[in-house]
Amino acid sequence: MIPVNEPLFTGNEKKYLNECVDTGWISSEGPFVQQFEKQMAAAVGRRHGIAVSNGTVALEAAVAALELMPGDEVIMPSFTIISCAAALIRRGCVPVLIDSDPVTWNIDVTKIESRITVKTKAVLVVHIYGLPVDMDPILALAAQYGLKIIEDAAEMLGQTYRDRPCGSFGDISTLSFYPNKHVTTGEGGMILTDDDHLAERCRSLRNLCFQQGKRFVHEELGYNFRMTNLQAALGVAQLERLQESVTRKRHMGQKYSEFLNGVEGLALMPPKMPYADNIYWVYGLVLNDEVPFEAEEAMRRLGLLGIGTRPFFWPMHEQPVLQKMGFFTHEHYPVSERLARRGFYVPSGLALTDDQMTKVAEAIKSLLE
Ligand SMILES: *Cc1c(COP(=O)(O)O)cnc(C)c1O
């Protein structure tokens, strides 16, 4: 079986992990945590990095830090991971969905302005799969209407938008270090901001809102979202190799595209947009309408051929849990609905070999013949 993702540890991972064990620094108090925060913030051009236990809670802390209030509306894509909607709903905010752009699969920026109301307080931007969101129109709307921007850059570490790093946009950005991300710590995440006050709030929220001086007296309910020194040690080693990882991802994307360009029945991601080259965090495919089966069946058949796959995101407005809570009744976002049913991604991890990619591409071709 060719797994859909296998991470790569060919740098200083073991050395730094041994340092943790040898020195006894394994908790969040250890020195790698601050080193990882500093180096990651520098890598994306932010003043502050706050390491947390995963990308989902990074979003929760970001929403909490911005002091969005119950009833505040936040614009976000329908086509994304549940973490985005969950972070908003847990704070009582109302997610307002926007359909995907059919070419880039990211939020369709032309559809945002018509959904802005007096209650709109923020836009949650999510870069999906390979291309960054077209940020300029969103930055302009945010300035015009006084909206905050949260940028979920989990899939886009190492990517740029018009030469500016993803993770550096808006008021606050988040990253994930799950094993399929460009830098992994097993589980892990980070909040990034240039704002001293927001950074301080995130540090406090991450650490149960313990107070200086009166440690066990609390003015606000916080969380334990701390990252351990063990995780950060892995992260420091992984970050040293980020540029190599990004180069490899782009090579893999180009190779797959060479194999699959012109194969009838497939829509591929564009290799570039005017504002960015595709980084191919994962290699996604969408079956054209003339293909007589859906992604689920394609993935089943590829599985029989020993190829691991993953479905695309399922749209937020079609999530049973959110519908049961009364969200998105009678709403439809046809592009994201189609992506969910016709799209899936193929093995894209950093440990994937060129040989394995050839096998994957041949299996996909045989499926469509
Ligand atoms: C991976 C991911 C997350 C969640 O990160 P976890 O570390 O798995 O909690 C959030 N947003 C996006 C866009 C992601 O790809």
Side-chain angles (χ1 to χ4, degrees):
M1 192 78 181
I2 302 178
V4 72
N5 176 67
E6 199 182 328
L8 193 65
F9 303 111
T10 51
N12 288 316
E13 286 86 356
K14 283 185 184 165
K15 179 171 170 231
Y16 297 162
L17 281 171
N18 276 334
E19 257 178 71
C20 297
V21 176
D22 291 343
T23 60
W25 285 111
I26 56 169
S27 78
S28 60
E29 299 285 309
F32 280 118
V33 178
Q34 279 192 33
Q35 189 183 339
F36 187 40
E37 290 177 336
K38 280 213 173 82
Q39 291 176 349
M40 186 59 77
V44 300
R46 283 289 204 185
R47 292 189 52 227
H48 304 282
I50 300 96
V52 291
S53 35
N54 57 66
T56 299
V57 303
L59 285 163
E60 282 201 36
V63 172
L66 282 171
E67 291 174 86
L68 296 172
M69 290 297 155
D72 285 352
E73 293 179 3
V74 179
I75 289 175
M76 60 169 278
S78 173
F79 187 69
T80 184
I81 189 163
I82 192 86
S83 312
C84 301
L88 298 173
I89 291 168
R90 289 217 171 95
R91 300 296 299 192
C93 298
V94 179
V96 173
L97 303 182
I98 305 287
D99 204 358
S100 303
D101 176 300
V103 174
T104 65
W105 310 339
N106 278 317
I107 189 167
D108 184 342
V109 295
T110 65
K111 297 200 168 118
I112 294 176
E113 190 165 18
S114 66
R115 302 291 316 265
I116 295 175
T117 73
V118 290
K119 290 187 184 164
T120 310
K121 293 289 150 55
V123 183
L124 200 176
V125 172
V126 192
H127 310 290
I128 308 271
Y129 295 164
L131 289 162
V133 169
D134 188 4
M135 290 304 298
D136 281 346
I138 295 179
L139 295 172
L141 287 173
Q144 186 182 344
Y145 292 95
L147 309 177
K148 304 279 187 203
I149 293 180
I150 305 166
E151 181 198 24
D152 182 346
E155 302 178 3
M156 230 46 54
L157 179 58
Q159 176 61 292
T160 55
Y161 172 82
R162 297 196 192 283
D163 297 325
R164 189 178 150 183
C166 291
S168 73
F169 286 91
D171 300 272
I172 202 159
S173 309
T174 61
L175 294 171
S176 161
F177 307 122
Y178 191 70
N180 61 358
K181 305 293 159 68
H182 292 157
V183 161
T184 183
T185 61
E187 301 285 350
M190 200 174 288
I191 308 154
L192 299 151
T193 182
D194 292 323
D195 184 309
D196 296 346
H197 172 69
L198 280 179
E200 209 32 64
R201 276 193 55 73
C202 289
R203 284 187 199 288
S204 176
L205 286 161
R206 162 181 77 175
N207 196 24
L208 293 169
C209 296
F210 283 131
Q211 297 202 83
Q212 299 271 317
K214 289 186 175 177
R215 182 172 174 85
F216 293 110
V217 179
H218 302 267
E219 297 284 348
E220 188 176 358
L221 286 182
Y223 308 86
N224 177 355
F225 286 165
R226 300 183 300 257
M227 174 183 274
T228 67
N229 202 49
L230 292 161
Q231 292 167 302
L234 212 57
V236 168
Q238 288 266 295
L239 184 54
E240 289 170 350
R241 302 188 55 262
L242 176 61
Q243 278 325 306
E244 281 167 72
S245 300
V246 165
T247 302
R248 176 74 192 152
K249 283 276 166 148
R250 288 208 160 105
H251 166 80
M252 286 165 53
Q254 280 157 16
K255 268 262 169 281
Y256 268 140
S257 299
E258 279 167 27
F259 283 126
L260 297 174
N261 255 328
V263 173
E264 211 134 326
L266 285 183
L268 310 175
M269 260 188 287
K272 60 171 66 177
M273 295 299 282
Y275 46 77
D277 291 344
N278 203 317
I279 201 168
Y280 295 107
W281 169 62
V282 292
Y283 199 85
L285 308 169
V286 179
L287 301 170
N288 289 342
D289 291 335
E290 67 265 20
V291 176
F293 48 83
E294 299 211 297
E296 203 175 331
E297 174 64 11
M299 290 187 289
R300 191 188 66 82
R301 293 189 197 180
L302 286 171
L304 294 175
L305 297 170
I307 312 291
T309 55
R310 264 283 186 294
F312 270 12
F313 293 128
W314 198 253
M316 291 305 105
H317 64 288
E318 294 193 289
Q319 294 292 343
V321 61
L322 304 183
Q323 290 173 341
K324 276 183 255 173
M325 294 171 95
F327 289 106
F328 318 131
T329 315
H330 306 307
E331 293 184 23
H332 279 289
Y333 302 97
V335 179
S336 67
E337 287 165 23
R338 185 171 175 279
L339 287 172
R341 286 160 179 79
R342 308 293 293 180
F344 61 99
Y345 65 85
V346 296
S348 313
L350 284 163
L352 193 72
T353 64
D354 282 23
D355 238 26
Q356 288 176 312
M357 283 169 51
T358 309
K359 289 200 182 96
V360 173
E362 273 159 9
I364 297 167
K365 282 186 190 170
S366 76
L367 191 76
L368 291 161
E369 266 161 12

Short mmCIF file of all heavy atoms in Angstrom, two decimals, residues 79 286 294-296 299 311-315 318 334-344:
data_model
loop_
_atom_site.label_atom_id
_atom_site.label_comp_id
_atom_site.label_asym_id
_atom_site.label_seq_id
_atom_site.Cartn_x
_atom_site.Cartn_y
_atom_site.Cartn_z
N PHE A 79 -16.00 25.33 2.13
CA PHE A 79 -15.10 24.20 1.85
C PHE A 79 -13.84 24.34 2.71
O PHE A 79 -12.87 25.00 2.33
CB PHE A 79 -14.75 24.21 0.35
CG PHE A 79 -13.97 23.01 -0.11
CD1 PHE A 79 -14.55 21.76 -0.16
CD2 PHE A 79 -12.64 23.15 -0.50
CE1 PHE A 79 -13.83 20.66 -0.61
CE2 PHE A 79 -11.91 22.04 -0.95
CZ PHE A 79 -12.51 20.80 -0.99
N VAL A 286 -10.14 16.39 -9.33
CA VAL A 286 -11.61 16.45 -9.36
C VAL A 286 -12.08 15.75 -10.62
O VAL A 286 -11.60 16.05 -11.73
CB VAL A 286 -12.10 17.91 -9.33
CG1 VAL A 286 -13.63 17.95 -9.38
CG2 VAL A 286 -11.60 18.62 -8.07
N GLU A 294 -18.34 8.61 -8.76
CA GLU A 294 -17.91 9.74 -7.94
C GLU A 294 -16.58 9.43 -7.23
O GLU A 294 -16.03 8.33 -7.35
CB GLU A 294 -19.01 10.11 -6.95
CG GLU A 294 -20.27 10.53 -7.69
CD GLU A 294 -21.09 11.56 -6.95
OE1 GLU A 294 -21.59 11.26 -5.85
OE2 GLU A 294 -21.24 12.67 -7.50
N ALA A 295 -16.11 10.40 -6.48
CA ALA A 295 -14.80 10.27 -5.83
C ALA A 295 -14.75 9.04 -4.92
O ALA A 295 -13.73 8.34 -4.87
CB ALA A 295 -14.50 11.53 -5.02
N GLU A 296 -15.84 8.78 -4.21
CA GLU A 296 -15.87 7.65 -3.28
C GLU A 296 -15.52 6.34 -4.00
O GLU A 296 -14.74 5.53 -3.49
CB GLU A 296 -17.27 7.58 -2.66
CG GLU A 296 -17.29 6.88 -1.34
CD GLU A 296 -18.67 6.92 -0.68
OE1 GLU A 296 -19.44 7.89 -0.91
OE2 GLU A 296 -18.98 5.96 0.04
N MET A 299 -11.86 6.29 -5.14
CA MET A 299 -10.96 6.01 -4.01
C MET A 299 -11.01 4.52 -3.65
O MET A 299 -9.98 3.93 -3.31
CB MET A 299 -11.34 6.88 -2.81
CG MET A 299 -11.01 8.34 -3.04
SD MET A 299 -11.25 9.34 -1.56
CE MET A 299 -13.02 9.35 -1.45
N PRO A 311 -10.58 11.68 0.97
CA PRO A 311 -11.61 12.53 0.36
C PRO A 311 -11.29 14.00 0.59
O PRO A 311 -10.53 14.34 1.48
CB PRO A 311 -12.89 12.13 1.12
CG PRO A 311 -12.47 11.41 2.33
CD PRO A 311 -11.06 10.92 2.13
N PHE A 312 -11.90 14.85 -0.22
CA PHE A 312 -11.84 16.30 0.00
C PHE A 312 -12.67 16.64 1.24
O PHE A 312 -13.44 15.83 1.73
CB PHE A 312 -12.42 17.03 -1.22
CG PHE A 312 -11.40 17.35 -2.30
CD1 PHE A 312 -10.13 16.80 -2.27
CD2 PHE A 312 -11.73 18.22 -3.34
CE1 PHE A 312 -9.20 17.11 -3.26
CE2 PHE A 312 -10.80 18.54 -4.33
CZ PHE A 312 -9.54 17.99 -4.29
N PHE A 313 -12.55 17.89 1.67
CA PHE A 313 -13.40 18.38 2.77
C PHE A 313 -14.87 18.22 2.41
O PHE A 313 -15.24 18.31 1.24
CB PHE A 313 -13.13 19.86 3.04
CG PHE A 313 -11.76 20.14 3.59
CD1 PHE A 313 -10.94 21.09 3.01
CD2 PHE A 313 -11.30 19.46 4.72
CE1 PHE A 313 -9.69 21.36 3.52
CE2 PHE A 313 -10.04 19.73 5.24
CZ PHE A 313 -9.22 20.68 4.63
N TRP A 314 -15.68 17.99 3.43
CA TRP A 314 -17.14 17.98 3.25
C TRP A 314 -17.64 19.37 3.66
O TRP A 314 -17.25 19.85 4.72
CB TRP A 314 -17.77 16.87 4.10
CG TRP A 314 -19.14 16.52 3.65
CD1 TRP A 314 -20.31 16.83 4.30
CD2 TRP A 314 -19.51 15.78 2.47
NE1 TRP A 314 -21.37 16.35 3.59
CE2 TRP A 314 -20.92 15.70 2.45
CE3 TRP A 314 -18.80 15.20 1.41
CZ2 TRP A 314 -21.63 15.06 1.45
CZ3 TRP A 314 -19.50 14.57 0.40
CH2 TRP A 314 -20.89 14.50 0.42
N PRO A 315 -18.47 20.03 2.85
CA PRO A 315 -18.79 21.44 3.13
C PRO A 315 -19.47 21.65 4.48
O PRO A 315 -20.21 20.79 4.95
CB PRO A 315 -19.76 21.81 2.00
CG PRO A 315 -19.59 20.77 0.96
CD PRO A 315 -19.10 19.54 1.63
N GLU A 318 -23.24 21.26 4.90
CA GLU A 318 -23.77 19.89 4.81
C GLU A 318 -23.32 19.04 6.00
O GLU A 318 -23.43 17.82 5.95
CB GLU A 318 -23.33 19.25 3.49
CG GLU A 318 -23.92 19.93 2.27
CD GLU A 318 -23.74 19.10 1.00
OE1 GLU A 318 -22.60 18.99 0.53
OE2 GLU A 318 -24.75 18.56 0.51
N PRO A 334 -22.93 25.41 -4.40
CA PRO A 334 -22.80 24.32 -5.37
C PRO A 334 -21.36 23.94 -5.72
O PRO A 334 -21.09 22.76 -5.96
CB PRO A 334 -23.57 24.82 -6.60
CG PRO A 334 -23.79 26.29 -6.38
CD PRO A 334 -23.74 26.53 -4.91
N VAL A 335 -20.45 24.91 -5.74
CA VAL A 335 -19.08 24.55 -6.11
C VAL A 335 -18.47 23.65 -5.02
O VAL A 335 -17.87 22.61 -5.32
CB VAL A 335 -18.20 25.80 -6.35
CG1 VAL A 335 -16.78 25.39 -6.70
CG2 VAL A 335 -18.80 26.68 -7.44
N SER A 336 -18.66 24.03 -3.77
CA SER A 336 -18.09 23.20 -2.69
C SER A 336 -18.79 21.85 -2.61
O SER A 336 -18.17 20.84 -2.31
CB SER A 336 -18.16 23.94 -1.35
OG SER A 336 -19.49 24.10 -0.91
N GLU A 337 -20.10 21.82 -2.91
CA GLU A 337 -20.82 20.53 -2.91
C GLU A 337 -20.23 19.60 -3.97
O GLU A 337 -20.07 18.40 -3.75
CB GLU A 337 -22.32 20.76 -3.18
CG GLU A 337 -23.03 21.40 -1.99
CD GLU A 337 -24.40 21.97 -2.32
OE1 GLU A 337 -25.01 21.53 -3.33
OE2 GLU A 337 -24.86 22.86 -1.58
N ARG A 338 -19.93 20.17 -5.11
CA ARG A 338 -19.38 19.36 -6.19
C ARG A 338 -17.96 18.89 -5.86
O ARG A 338 -17.61 17.72 -6.07
CB ARG A 338 -19.39 20.17 -7.49
CG ARG A 338 -18.95 19.38 -8.69
CD ARG A 338 -19.16 20.11 -10.00
NE ARG A 338 -18.57 19.28 -11.04
CZ ARG A 338 -17.28 19.25 -11.32
NH1 ARG A 338 -16.43 20.01 -10.64
NH2 ARG A 338 -16.82 18.45 -12.26
N LEU A 339 -17.13 19.80 -5.32
CA LEU A 339 -15.76 19.42 -4.95
C LEU A 339 -15.79 18.25 -3.96
O LEU A 339 -15.00 17.31 -4.07
CB LEU A 339 -15.03 20.61 -4.31
CG LEU A 339 -14.61 21.74 -5.24
CD1 LEU A 339 -14.08 22.93 -4.44
CD2 LEU A 339 -13.55 21.26 -6.25
N ALA A 340 -16.70 18.31 -3.01
CA ALA A 340 -16.78 17.27 -1.98
C ALA A 340 -17.12 15.91 -2.59
O ALA A 340 -16.63 14.87 -2.13
CB ALA A 340 -17.82 17.64 -0.93
N ARG A 341 -17.96 15.92 -3.63
CA ARG A 341 -18.41 14.65 -4.21
C ARG A 341 -17.50 14.14 -5.31
O ARG A 341 -17.42 12.93 -5.55
CB ARG A 341 -19.84 14.81 -4.75
CG ARG A 341 -20.86 14.88 -3.64
CD ARG A 341 -22.17 15.50 -4.06
NE ARG A 341 -23.10 15.51 -2.93
CZ ARG A 341 -23.06 16.40 -1.92
NH1 ARG A 341 -22.15 17.36 -1.93
NH2 ARG A 341 -23.92 16.32 -0.94
N ARG A 342 -16.81 15.04 -6.00
CA ARG A 342 -16.01 14.66 -7.17
C ARG A 342 -14.51 14.72 -6.89
O ARG A 342 -13.72 14.33 -7.73
CB ARG A 342 -16.32 15.56 -8.37
CG ARG A 342 -17.79 15.72 -8.73
CD ARG A 342 -18.46 14.47 -9.25
NE ARG A 342 -17.96 14.03 -10.54
CZ ARG A 342 -18.42 12.94 -11.18
NH1 ARG A 342 -19.40 12.22 -10.66
NH2 ARG A 342 -17.91 12.58 -12.33
N GLY A 343 -14.11 15.22 -5.72
CA GLY A 343 -12.69 15.46 -5.47
C GLY A 343 -12.08 14.54 -4.43
O GLY A 343 -12.77 14.08 -3.51
N PHE A 344 -10.81 14.26 -4.58
CA PHE A 344 -10.05 13.50 -3.57
C PHE A 344 -8.57 13.78 -3.82
O PHE A 344 -8.20 14.34 -4.85
CB PHE A 344 -10.33 11.99 -3.68
CG PHE A 344 -9.95 11.37 -5.00
CD1 PHE A 344 -8.75 10.68 -5.16
CD2 PHE A 344 -10.79 11.48 -6.10
CE1 PHE A 344 -8.39 10.11 -6.38
CE2 PHE A 344 -10.44 10.91 -7.34
CZ PHE A 344 -9.25 10.23 -7.46
#
